[in-house]
Structures are given as structure tokens and as C-alpha cells.
Amino acid sequence: MGADFDMELLLCALLFFQKGGTEQAKLCHVAPTLFTEDFAESHFMASSDDPDKPYKTFAAMMTALVEMHERYIDPKSPEAKSQQGLVEFCRNMSWETYKKMHNKLNERGPTLFDHPFTLDELKAAAK
């Protein structure tokens, strides 16, 4: 199991309840997530001497989330179609690109969790 095991567990539970007949509206709301780390306040700090370890970990988690998306979301569904560009952008993103994007987005200040970044903003930050 990777660092994304909790997301996988949640998706497995979601499938369990879907198959059990729970109506979709009562199950969940899905929103994109950008993984960041604030070294001063984080409870998820890397236990490594490698200063890039958090970026490597989060980039790997993003790749795993894309793989889960492709496993659990029907590719013909409106949800999958609406996120196709984001999935293609995130698929196999290197940790170096992830770090560049993260650091560029951090220039906005403490707004990473309350700003709905567009795909164009993410792409521009990754350049």
C-alpha cells in the first residue's frame, strides 16, 4: 500500500455502498485536491533527509489518485468527461514538475485550499 491507501479505502467503501443500493446523492461529493505541505505546521512531514521527499511523495499520490479515478469512475460518465483534461495533465506528472507547480501556486500566499484553481492556472504554474 502506498501513501494513498486512505483514498483507496474510501473508494472501496463507496463501491460497497453503491452496490448495496445506497442512492448516489447520499454517498459523497467529489472535489479535486492539491497536496501541499507546510513544514512549520504539517503533521505529515517526510522522515527523510531528502528535502524533495514530500514532493516525490505527493506526486506519487497524485499519480495513484489518477489511477484510482481511471479504475473507479466510468470513463463514459459526465464526471469523467468533465475531468478528462485534468486527468491527462496529472497522469505521470514528474515530481519535479509537481514541485515547480506547487511552489508557483504557493506564491499566491495562504490560499491553496480556498481557491478553485482552473486547469489553465495549474498548467501555467507547472511550466
Side-chain angles (χ1 to χ4, degrees):
M1 290 241 144
D4 56 304
F5 75 92
D6 53 347
M7 300 296 280
E8 184 88 19
L9 180 61
L10 290 170
L11 288 170
C12 287
L14 176 64
L15 281 179
F16 174 82
F17 286 104
Q18 282 178 327
K19 291 178 181 178
T22 303
E23 63 183 80
Q24 184 66 31
K26 292 185 177 183
L27 290 175
C28 70
H29 173 77
V30 180
T33 303
L34 173 67
F35 294 99
T36 63
E37 183 165 11
D38 179 335
F39 292 105
E41 298 181 27
S42 177
H43 297 289
F44 188 60
M45 291 188 76
S47 57
S48 171
D49 292 333
D50 180 357
D52 290 321
K53 181 65 176 166
Y55 300 107
K56 293 174 182 177
T57 299
F58 292 138
M61 289 172 68
M62 185 171 55
T63 298
L65 289 171
V66 168
E67 291 169 355
M68 282 186 257
H69 170 85
E70 292 174 333
R71 276 198 312 275
Y72 292 104
I73 306 298
D74 179 358
K76 296 176 184 167
S77 70
E79 294 82 8
K81 289 178 182 177
S82 73
Q83 298 306 312
Q84 186 174 2
L86 180 62
V87 169
E88 290 172 6
F89 171 67
C90 293
R91 185 185 291 114
N92 301 317
M93 181 185 290
S94 71
W95 71 265
E96 294 92 345
T97 300
Y98 181 87
K99 179 180 177 178
K100 187 185 312 177
M101 179 181 69
H102 172 273
N103 290 343
K104 183 67 175 173
L105 294 174
N106 249 352
E107 291 174 6
R108 295 178 57 90
T111 183
L112 294 176
F113 292 107
D114 64 353
H115 177 75
F117 290 101
T118 66
L119 181 55
D120 288 338
E121 287 176 291
L122 298 176
K123 287 180 176 180
K127 289 183 180 180

